[in-house]
Every structure is written in structure tokens, then in C-alpha cells.
Amino acid sequence: MRPRARDKKLLEEWALSLKSLEDVYEKFMKYCLGKLRSSPWSELDGLQAETRIISEQLGKINMKGFLSINSQPAVNGERSDSPSVGKYKLIHSYN
């Protein structure tokens, strides 16, 4: 098991009794909407900025039973240094 799997926050948010499929759907929806900070599938805390763009749609999809464990919105024409969807982060600041 990954070290993260034993994380207290992860256990609090995910290791509980679910009584129906709808409970599972709701758990995934809450993660997509940012109401849960941890995920058993990710080492990161919460959603990344680019995923927040489509969080509402992901929440709805998960409530219909299509469970997402990773996602990436389609973007077209954004700069690579865009703070929300850019692949490359600006490392140095030049005056």
C-alpha cells in the first residue's frame, strides 16, 4: 500500500460504510465538487486548478454512475504558462 493510503484524512473521508450504489456515487460527486480533500487514487490534496473548471459537470456525471478517478478538461489556445491550465509553471521571476 502507498503511504498515503494510511493517511488519517483519507481514512476519515473514504473508509466508511456505504449502503447503496448511490452512496458511492455521492462520495465521488463530493470529491469532484471539492467537498472532500483526499482521494485514494491521488497523492495530491484536492482537485487541481484545471479540473475545477469542469467540477460541476464531473459531479453530475458521477451521480449518474460514471465514476471518474481522473479527468482533464479540453482547452484550446491556452498558453503553456497559464496559471489554471498551463503545463509549465513559471519557475523564476525576472524583473
Side-chain angles (χ1 to χ4, degrees):
M1 278 173 75
R2 297 178 315 182
R4 170 97 176 168
R6 294 185 190 96
D7 182 77
K8 183 180 178 185
K9 187 69 171 168
L10 181 68
L11 292 173
E12 287 174 0
E13 292 183 344
W14 289 87
L16 33 112
S17 179
L18 302 171
K19 297 178 176 129
S20 68
L21 284 175
E22 286 74 23
D23 288 349
V24 176
Y25 303 162
E26 185 174 356
K27 184 65 70 173
F28 275 75
M29 178 205 58
K30 285 182 178 181
Y31 179 71
C32 290
L33 295 177
K35 295 178 181 178
L36 300 177
R37 298 289 303 158
S38 64
S39 166
W41 300 277
S42 177
E43 297 291 327
L44 304 172
D45 287 326
L47 299 175
Q48 297 302 293
E50 70 270 9
T51 304
R52 289 188 193 110
I53 296 169
I54 57 171
S55 64
E56 292 288 327
Q57 294 89 341
L58 287 174
K60 291 175 184 175
I61 290 169
N62 280 272
M63 282 305 292
K64 293 183 181 207
F66 296 94
L67 305 178
S68 60
I69 59 170
N70 58 29
S71 58
Q72 183 175 355
V75 294
N76 192 11
E78 277 291 329
R79 294 175 45 101
S80 63
D81 61 355
S82 163
S84 60
V85 297
K87 183 174 182 179
Y88 304 102
K89 304 295 181 208
L90 190 59
I91 297 171
H92 299 286
S93 176
Y94 297 99
N95 294 341

